[in-house]
Amino acid sequence: MTGTVARWWHRVGRRCSQVGGLLLAFVLIGLTKACSREPSERKLRAQATSPGAESRRAAEERQMQALIQRLSAVEGLEHILTRFNDSCARPYNGSIFENMRSPYVLTCSMRAVACFGVRGDMSDVLPRIRAAGIAPWGPHDNEGRELPHAAGTVTYALSYHRARGRYPDGSLMSAPMLTAPGLRIDWDRADLPLPHRIEEPAPCPPEGSSIYQRCSTVSEAPMSVTAAQARYGTVLSFSLSSSPASSANRYFTVPRRK
């Protein structure tokens, strides 16, 4: 009896192994077919350098340059350098166990960071940044007025500096910065309760790390952020990413064929 049961379990196990092997084979075949439908890097690179992509790329850079120029015109700010990083890559589709397949086969995005030396006190420069009309910094009410106690606004940043980073009861205020969709302004605060120093812009990624990659640095006079901090005392950074009006913060996408 024991031998009969053992033989029966052996046959059941062998059949389950065969069925499991077939299921695995079908899964692998499906994955192979799915991967084979992905465009090659050569085709995607052609899309990334197509006239349509180049036109949108140029428009995105012009828009960023215009905002940087408006900040450069603010009294008390002197432009040090701007680094542009433009790349196109395949989107992340998750693992074989995740249902995260992107509707695109290629996405292109652009980022930039501009650094400025600050002459004078930030409490004098912040109202001029607001007056430049670059963006509605931080949250606003229904009538377009800043929410004064909300981080991200000029009003809060001014309150932070005037109070030296502390509330009347002595507790610490959260760090200030100016924020808007796709934009952020931050600056050195070395002598305040929450010290902060602007770091050097991230280096350009190695060539070949994306389908398309373009990284450049614009500087009127070669100077590192560290050297600018020694010269001006305070450095301000202006970070920009692809326009929120574009698809998922990307200026160019190639849809997946259905």
Side-chain angles (χ1 to χ4, degrees):
M1 180 67 179
T2 303
T4 302
V5 172
R7 286 194 297 273
W8 180 79
W9 274 112
H10 177 72
R11 288 196 299 271
V12 170
R14 186 171 57 185
R15 289 175 182 174
C16 287
S17 297
Q18 291 172 345
V19 171
L22 287 173
L23 289 174
L24 180 59
F26 287 141
V27 170
L28 291 175
I29 290 171
L31 289 173
T32 301
K33 288 184 177 180
C35 291
S36 66
R37 290 196 294 268
E38 294 291 325
S40 66
E41 286 199 7
R42 180 180 60 81
K43 290 182 178 180
L44 291 178
R45 192 169 292 109
Q47 292 271 18
T49 56
S50 65
E54 293 290 1
S55 175
R56 295 187 188 180
R57 179 172 294 123
E60 193 74 19
E61 185 167 341
R62 282 196 302 270
Q63 181 177 347
M64 289 186 176
Q65 287 278 25
L67 293 175
I68 293 170
Q69 287 298 323
R70 289 174 72 174
L71 189 59
S72 299
V74 170
E75 182 184 352
L77 295 182
E78 295 189 13
H79 180 257
I80 301 168
L81 63 87
T82 298
R83 177 161 294 165
F84 283 96
N85 190 356
D86 178 17
S87 64
C88 300
R90 299 180 192 268
Y92 177 66
N93 288 312
S95 68
I96 61 174
F97 304 106
E98 296 175 299
N99 185 22
M100 295 178 58
R101 200 173 189 215
S102 171
Y104 308 108
V105 294
L106 183 72
T107 59
C108 299
S109 59
M110 188 180 298
R111 301 188 305 276
V113 57
C115 296
F116 299 81
V118 179
R119 290 196 179 278
D121 193 270
M122 278 301 302
S123 295
D124 297 326
V125 175
L126 284 166
R128 298 173 195 149
I129 293 176
R130 176 200 280 146
I134 297 167
W137 300 109
H140 288 59
D141 62 19
N142 293 333
E143 297 182 6
R145 296 172 299 194
E146 288 183 0
L147 298 179
H149 303 295
T153 64
V154 173
T155 299
Y156 177 83
L158 285 170
S159 297
Y160 182 93
H161 280 276
R162 289 166 181 165
R164 302 296 296 168
R166 292 188 182 275
Y167 289 110
D169 63 1
S171 59
L172 294 178
M173 300 174 69
S174 58
M177 65 176 64
L178 307 185
T179 58
L183 306 175
R184 186 184 70 187
I185 291 180
D186 202 358
W187 55 92
D188 288 326
R189 296 178 294 277
D191 60 342
L192 292 171
L194 295 176
H196 177 66
R197 298 289 278 179
I198 298 300
E199 298 180 353
E200 302 285 348
C204 291
E207 293 186 8
S209 57
S210 299
I211 300 294
Y212 171 89
Q213 185 75 45
R214 183 173 62 96
C215 184
S216 60
T217 302
V218 179
S219 177
E220 283 78 6
M223 183 185 301
S224 67
V225 169
T226 302
Q229 287 165 334
R231 180 173 181 177
Y232 296 96
T234 300
V235 167
L236 176 145
S237 71
F238 183 25
S239 302
L240 309 89
S241 60
S242 294
S243 170
S246 60
S247 176
N249 294 348
R250 304 176 183 108
Y251 68 82
F252 182 74
T253 58
V254 177
R256 184 183 301 279
R257 291 185 179 181
K258 297 181 179 180

